[in-house]
Amino acid sequence: MELGIPVGCNAGIVDPHSVDSMAFRSAVTKSVVVGVCLVCVGHVLQLHTRLLSDDAKHALGYPPDSLLNFTERSARYGYPAEEHRLLTQDGYILTVFRMAGTRRDGGAGAPPVILMHGLLQSADAWLDAGPGAGLAYLIADAGHDLWLGNVRGNYYSRDHVRLRPDTDPQFWDFSVDEIGLYDVPATIDYVLNYTKADKVNYVGFSQGAGTFFIMCSERPDYCDKVGVLVALAPAARHTNTKSLPYKVLAKTINSMEYVLNLCGMQEVFSKGALSQEFMAFFCQFHWISELVCGTAEAMFDSFHPGSIRKETLKVLFGHFPAGTSTHNMARYGQSMNSDRFQKFDYGRSNNIKLYGSHEPPSYNLSAVSAPAVVLYGENDHLVDERDVSWLLERLPNVLEAVRVSDPLWNHLDVTYSHLTNHSIFPKINDYLLKYSNDCQFY
């Protein structure tokens, strides 16, 4: 009796004794091993665990700053802070902080300043370098009414009116596309409504700047609510990203997103996950903090000896990484495969349903009408100088583009370097003051 095998299927029948079959089985085995490894790594990145209590961490010599939350830490150094909660249009509950400086000469009527963190960070990142270096301290001390945002998915904004992050996978169905569409506008609205100001000044780092561009493209009326945008190492497209670990990580998550989601891994790099607790533990040892933790940070970005202090490394890994969605990391992986600044690519058929075109649409950078100042470093391996140049050619209202004079200035220096007071803050403050004095730009 003949088997009903269609013509053409014979090519799929493999002789188990042939050399080609052995190569085939080897390839399948490797694929399975890689897949299993990715699943295991995913669980390490996602699994919430508490290896040590805070008392144990104190006893082991963890710096107090690594164990305190934002308001506790700012108050410890004499900077009163308030915690506020706001609701986005799609139901996410975000936490923002209002921080006062040691001076009170900002002047009545001066616009508030929103300071927005980058990928895998929280508002805590702006405190990690300590008073005199952390941008939160510097901006507050200059007399500005400072508000620090937290986007959906980090440990301060892990809440929703309906969805629970630990049981509802839909909570994690977001990327920078939604952060720019909902989180940044909601933060601006909340600050304006609370302060009764007419406009805000906005300082965004990396993702914090890229999501501002998305907001202006999709909701251009919000650009009119901003006096000046200070974009620090702005992340739009990532075509020329040099960091090999970052590229491998983001591209792998992009290619494996479907499998990771099937395994229940919609959240990655969360605070309290085994990977974060592991780094926090080992970075407390003086001989390891710079050798291992400093080297790991530099390998992910680039080397800048003496820029980030050992004490800062010990503090920052107490709450970094701060968590995001697998979908958001996949979005960054996609951006490294494109020469455009575009929406998430769901594949040709799904793109047709969502966007009405086979390809995802590009964001309209010409809609970023707010006056913009861009600061960047030539040693930045995450947001390459060539991608910044590409961006500058498309922004319609650039006041000034500043390459930091230090040739070794890199991406993570923006939040963690003890040199910010001299390297980037003077220029930031110049423009914040210019667009604050007497509110002449209204």
Side-chain angles (χ1 to χ4, degrees), residues 84-90 94 96 112-114 116 145 147 149 179-202 212 215 219-226:
H84 296 252
R85 304 262 279 173
L86 63 91
L87 181 66
T88 69
Q89 198 174 43
D90 59 342
L94 313 180
V96 295
V113 174
I114 294 175
M116 190 62 76
D145 181 11
W147 294 75
I179 293 171
L181 185 63
Y182 298 115
D183 293 13
V184 179
T187 302
I188 291 174
D189 276 343
Y190 183 88
V191 172
L192 289 177
N193 291 336
Y194 192 90
T195 62
K196 308 304 181 188
D198 296 316
K199 293 197 178 188
V200 299
N201 290 331
Y202 185 97
F212 184 92
M215 175 191 74
R219 306 174 75 171
D221 53 311
Y222 275 89
C223 256
D224 296 332
K225 300 182 180 186
V226 176

Side-chain angles (χ1 to χ4, degrees), residues 125-141:
W126 301 111
L127 302 178
D128 286 339
L135 275 178
Y137 296 113
L138 296 173
I139 293 173
D141 274 342

Side-chain angles (χ1 to χ4, degrees), residues 188-268:
I188 291 174
D189 276 343
Y190 183 88
V191 172
L192 289 177
N193 291 336
Y194 192 90
T195 62
K196 308 304 181 188
D198 296 316
K199 293 197 178 188
V200 299
N201 290 331
Y202 185 97
V203 182
F205 166 53
S206 192
Q207 176 181 274
T211 49
F212 184 92
F213 304 145
I214 291 172
M215 175 191 74
C216 291
S217 171
E218 302 304 287
R219 306 174 75 171
D221 53 311
Y222 275 89
C223 256
D224 296 332
K225 300 182 180 186
V226 176
V228 66
L229 161 67
V230 181
L232 308 173
R237 75 172 197 177
H238 289 78
T239 310
N240 296 293
T241 295
K242 293 191 186 81
S243 172
L244 182 59
Y246 180 38
K247 287 197 291 187
V248 169
L249 176 67
K251 288 183 177 183
T252 300
I253 290 177
N254 177 44
S255 64
M256 296 292 294
E257 183 185 9
Y258 178 74
V259 175
L260 293 172
N261 286 337
L262 284 179
C263 296
M265 285 170 274
Q266 287 84 20
E267 178 187 14
V268 287

Side-chain angles (χ1 to χ4, degrees), residues 47-356:
L47 179 65
H48 287 266
T49 183
R50 189 167 178 81
L51 299 177
L52 297 169
S53 67
D54 283 351
D55 288 340
K57 290 177 179 179
H58 277 295
L60 286 170
Y62 279 53
D65 285 358
S66 70
L67 304 175
L68 300 176
N69 64 31
F70 186 94
T71 55
E72 292 169 339
R73 186 149 52 129
S74 59
R76 182 171 186 248
Y77 293 101
Y79 295 77
E82 305 165 359
E83 180 175 325
H84 296 252
R85 304 262 279 173
L86 63 91
L87 181 66
T88 69
Q89 198 174 43
D90 59 342
Y92 284 81
I93 300 170
L94 313 180
T95 299
V96 295
F97 299 106
R98 189 185 198 183
M99 180 174 169
T102 55
R103 293 167 49 189
R104 300 290 187 272
D105 58 355
V113 174
I114 294 175
L115 183 59
M116 190 62 76
H117 62 80
L119 174 66
L120 297 176
Q121 293 180 326
S122 72
D124 286 331
W126 301 111
L127 302 178
D128 286 339
L135 275 178
Y137 296 113
L138 296 173
I139 293 173
D141 274 342
H144 302 286
D145 181 11
L146 179 61
W147 294 75
L148 301 102
N150 290 283
V151 302
R152 62 186 66 192
N154 81 19
Y155 50 86
Y156 285 126
S157 297
R158 205 172 173 272
D159 202 0
H160 191 278
V161 294
R162 181 176 52 85
L163 303 172
R164 302 278 73 86
D166 294 325
T167 57
D168 294 317
Q170 297 93 334
F171 178 94
W172 301 101
D173 188 17
F174 67 82
S175 71
V176 291
D177 296 347
E178 287 71 33
I179 293 171
L181 185 63
Y182 298 115
D183 293 13
V184 179
T187 302
I188 291 174
D189 276 343
Y190 183 88
V191 172
L192 289 177
N193 291 336
Y194 192 90
T195 62
K196 308 304 181 188
D198 296 316
K199 293 197 178 188
V200 299
N201 290 331
Y202 185 97
V203 182
F205 166 53
S206 192
Q207 176 181 274
T211 49
F212 184 92
F213 304 145
I214 291 172
M215 175 191 74
C216 291
S217 171
E218 302 304 287
R219 306 174 75 171
D221 53 311
Y222 275 89
C223 256
D224 296 332
K225 300 182 180 186
V226 176
V228 66
L229 161 67
V230 181
L232 308 173
R237 75 172 197 177
H238 289 78
T239 310
N240 296 293
T241 295
K242 293 191 186 81
S243 172
L244 182 59
Y246 180 38
K247 287 197 291 187
V248 169
L249 176 67
K251 288 183 177 183
T252 300
I253 290 177
N254 177 44
S255 64
M256 296 292 294
E257 183 185 9
Y258 178 74
V259 175
L260 293 172
N261 286 337
L262 284 179
C263 296
M265 285 170 274
Q266 287 84 20
E267 178 187 14
V268 287
F269 303 113
S270 58
K271 182 177 183 287
L274 185 59
S275 54
Q276 185 268 320
E277 289 280 347
F278 178 87
M279 290 296 293
F281 175 78
F282 280 98
C283 291
Q284 303 316 308
F285 300 101
H286 286 285
W287 64 275
I288 290 181
S289 63
E290 189 167 29
L291 177 64
V292 176
C293 303
T295 301
E297 176 273 326
M299 288 179 66
F300 208 79
D301 189 2
S302 65
F303 284 88
H304 188 182
S307 179
I308 301 177
R309 291 172 170 152
K310 291 181 184 179
E311 191 64 23
T312 301
L313 288 170
K314 294 166 70 173
V315 169
L316 77 88
F317 281 112
H319 43 254
F320 176 86
T324 192
S325 67
T326 302
H327 191 59
N328 194 34
M329 291 303 303
R331 167 68 168 72
Y332 279 95
Q334 288 187 0
S335 69
M336 296 170 190
N337 293 324
S338 172
D339 61 358
R340 300 188 298 143
F341 183 39
Q342 63 185 25
K343 297 183 180 182
F344 198 96
D345 187 349
Y346 291 95
R348 290 172 65 86
S349 60
N350 285 326
N351 287 342
I352 286 287
K353 296 174 186 177
L354 288 169
Y355 308 130

